[in-house]
Amino acid sequence: MDTSIGWIGIGIDILSSDPFFSQIIDLNKELVKYGSNYNINLIPPHINLYDIDIPVKNFEEVDRKLKEISDSHNSFEISCSKVDYFKHGSIYLSCDLNEDIKNLQQDIVKNISTLRGNIKTKEYWESWREYTEDQLQNREKYGNPHILNSFVPHITIGFIKDNNILKDVNIKLNELFKPVVYKVSHFNLVIKNSENKTIKTISYKLNTQLG
């Protein structure tokens, strides 16, 4: 039996054919002026829903459960209204936490978290990270602190090391950004093996026939 540990990331990719994608690319390029080296070509624009380390032997079961989840959720719209930042330097587009994305994430977390066993996602146990009590509870129970009651839907567009300019850069980018309502028609699963190499990406189409 394969006892190796891999990684899965589940998120909503922004389609390159959508005008929103071009706007994100432009903002990412603007951030280069302020020292950002965040390569959006290597990490395509997306809203992260859930990511964890997980036994490789459970990859097929993850796929099966996500197919069931996609069949039970409608496509929906989400508003991305402003540029914001986290204090550690990540610059992102803030998206509304509406009931559709909240319910989709809850369904994913509660179904997929059971497949991780006792595996800890090393990234989330790094000593420098600071968490609220709710985030610590999420990390212990589901392996990821940034979910459920601590979920902040966002699209990372860059990273700035100099905290002294974060506020000014944020103001500048908000002057350039045009708020968007994006239609979510699918979500993706990215699978990495025990050597941290991406071995598969699977897209799940949300149901457009319900209701």
Side-chain angles (χ1 to χ4, degrees):
M1 180 182 292
D2 189 348
T3 60
S4 59
I5 305 302
W7 176 91
I8 59 169
I10 304 164
I12 298 167
D13 282 9
I14 307 304
L15 298 175
S16 58
S17 58
D18 194 281
F20 186 26
F21 185 91
S22 297
Q23 188 175 185
I24 293 171
I25 296 299
D26 289 343
L27 291 171
N28 175 252
K29 290 178 179 177
E30 181 70 20
L31 278 166
V32 173
K33 299 177 183 178
Y34 303 99
S36 175
N37 61 357
Y38 185 82
N39 192 336
I40 211 160
N41 293 311
L42 295 178
I43 310 174
H46 66 281
I47 300 172
N48 186 26
L49 296 174
Y50 189 46
D51 66 285
I52 50 169
D53 289 350
I54 195 169
V56 169
K57 64 183 177 68
N58 289 339
F59 282 169
E60 289 187 7
E61 183 64 8
V62 169
D63 178 38
R64 186 189 69 79
K65 287 196 172 190
L66 290 180
K67 286 176 181 175
E68 291 181 353
I69 290 170
S70 66
D71 285 340
S72 64
H73 286 265
N74 286 322
S75 58
F76 60 91
E77 292 183 337
I78 187 167
S79 298
C80 298
S81 56
K82 65 179 181 178
V83 182
D84 209 337
Y85 61 91
F86 295 119
K87 64 180 182 179
H88 65 267
S90 288
I91 311 292
Y92 63 90
L93 300 180
S94 176
C95 302
D96 292 345
L97 180 59
N98 61 32
E99 288 301 311
D100 292 302
I101 194 169
K102 185 187 297 184
N103 292 337
L104 175 61
Q105 194 213 41
Q106 287 176 349
D107 207 358
I108 289 171
V109 169
K110 290 177 180 179
N111 278 278
I112 303 303
S113 62
T114 59
L115 299 174
R116 73 182 183 92
N118 295 319
I119 304 302
K120 292 182 177 180
T121 305
K122 294 178 181 178
E123 174 187 357
Y124 295 133
W125 263 263
E126 292 171 337
S127 59
W128 63 269
R129 294 181 179 273
E130 298 178 357
Y131 296 123
T132 65
E133 188 60 35
D134 283 342
Q135 289 174 327
L136 287 172
Q137 290 178 11
N138 287 336
R139 186 182 69 169
E140 291 298 323
K141 188 172 183 179
Y142 303 108
N144 185 314
H146 307 299
I147 54 172
L148 306 179
N149 53 355
S150 298
F151 181 38
V152 179
H154 66 279
I155 302 166
T156 300
I157 57 174
F159 183 84
I160 292 180
K161 294 180 180 179
D162 186 354
N163 286 345
N164 294 319
I165 65 172
L166 270 174
K167 185 175 181 179
D168 289 340
V169 172
N170 185 61
I171 292 172
K172 174 64 176 176
L173 291 181
N174 272 297
E175 291 173 352
L176 299 174
F177 178 59
K178 297 177 181 178
V180 170
V181 175
Y182 182 71
K183 182 165 185 180
V184 178
S185 59
H186 72 290
F187 62 86
N188 287 350
L189 166 68
V190 176
I191 300 175
K192 293 184 178 181
N193 62 17
S194 57
E195 298 175 348
N196 201 36
K197 293 181 180 179
T198 299
I199 58 174
K200 186 179 289 186
T201 299
I202 305 172
S203 183
Y204 303 89
K205 188 174 182 181
L206 295 172
N207 198 325
T208 58
Q209 303 302 316
L210 296 180

